[in-house]
Amino acid sequence: MMERTLGIIKPDGVGRDIIGTVLERIEKAGLKIVALKMIRMSKVQAKGFYKVHEGRPFYESVTDFMSSGPCVVMILEGDDAIAAYRGLMGATNYEEAAEGTIRRDFATDIEKNVVHGSDSPETARFEMDYFFSALEAAPA
Ligand code: CMP
């Protein structure tokens, strides 16, 4: 099923100059990058993005981290894009991520895990709309 998902290269990935590496893995996996830009979130914007995690012990820390530098945000399209991109990223905790995944290869910490991807169609809709206008995310 053709699907869209929201992907982020987090401030650690941007800071370590692996934007190109991550984008290459995405393209080689057959996912189409249909929208892409670099942004810098304020603390308030990061809190809005991770609102689903409000109250969890890592909420303050992850929203500090996500507002600490620029991120690359993108919309990816493809067959089962949500699961396909999550497979490419690997588990949230890089120590549990499968060999060859982005997080296994580049993450340094459960928080500084290089990339984010939506975890369901509902989350994908919310997250794509959070960063992209209808004009930027042209329909397929
Ligand atoms: P992400 O997939 O973007 O979703 C929430 C983020 O919070 C997660 O990746 C990590 O960067 C961060 N985080 C830090 N600690 C945890 C934790 N214990 N469980 C889940 N996410 C965590």
Side-chain angles (χ1 to χ4, degrees):
M1 182 194 44
M2 281 305 267
E3 199 171 55
R4 286 183 171 195
T5 189
L6 188 278
I8 303 180
I9 305 175
K10 298 185 179 188
D12 57 332
V14 173
R16 286 166 55 211
D17 304 320
I18 53 171
I19 296 172
T21 304
V22 172
L23 296 184
E24 185 176 24
R25 288 189 183 204
I26 289 168
E27 292 186 325
K28 283 204 168 130
L31 288 165
K32 190 112 197 122
I33 300 168
V34 297
L36 177 86
K37 62 185 172 185
M38 187 177 277
I39 53 128
R40 168 88 190 248
M41 277 187 273
S42 67
K43 172 79 173 173
V44 168
Q45 289 166 333
K47 286 175 96 164
F49 177 70
Y50 277 125
K51 200 164 177 39
V52 64
H53 294 302
E54 198 170 1
R56 298 184 70 178
F58 56 85
Y59 184 62
E60 278 306 318
S61 176
V62 77
T63 51
D64 277 346
F65 166 56
M66 292 297 281
S67 57
S68 69
C71 290
V72 171
V73 291
M74 58 196 145
I75 297 178
L76 308 176
E77 184 177 86
D79 209 27
D80 284 323
I82 294 172
Y85 182 53
R86 289 180 74 79
L88 210 56
M89 289 192 300
T92 304
N93 182 353
Y94 76 104
E95 289 173 319
E96 292 165 11
E99 294 283 340
T101 59
I102 296 168
R103 285 168 168 165
R104 178 62 176 251
D105 289 345
F106 301 111
T108 51
D109 182 306
I110 191 167
E111 180 174 275
K112 294 177 182 62
N113 61 356
V114 185
V115 280
H116 167 84
S118 312
D119 63 4
S120 72
E122 296 68 38
T123 321
R125 184 74 271 148
F126 168 79
E127 294 184 348
M128 291 188 290
D129 291 346
Y130 199 80
F131 294 117
F132 292 97
S133 70
L135 195 66
E136 293 171 314

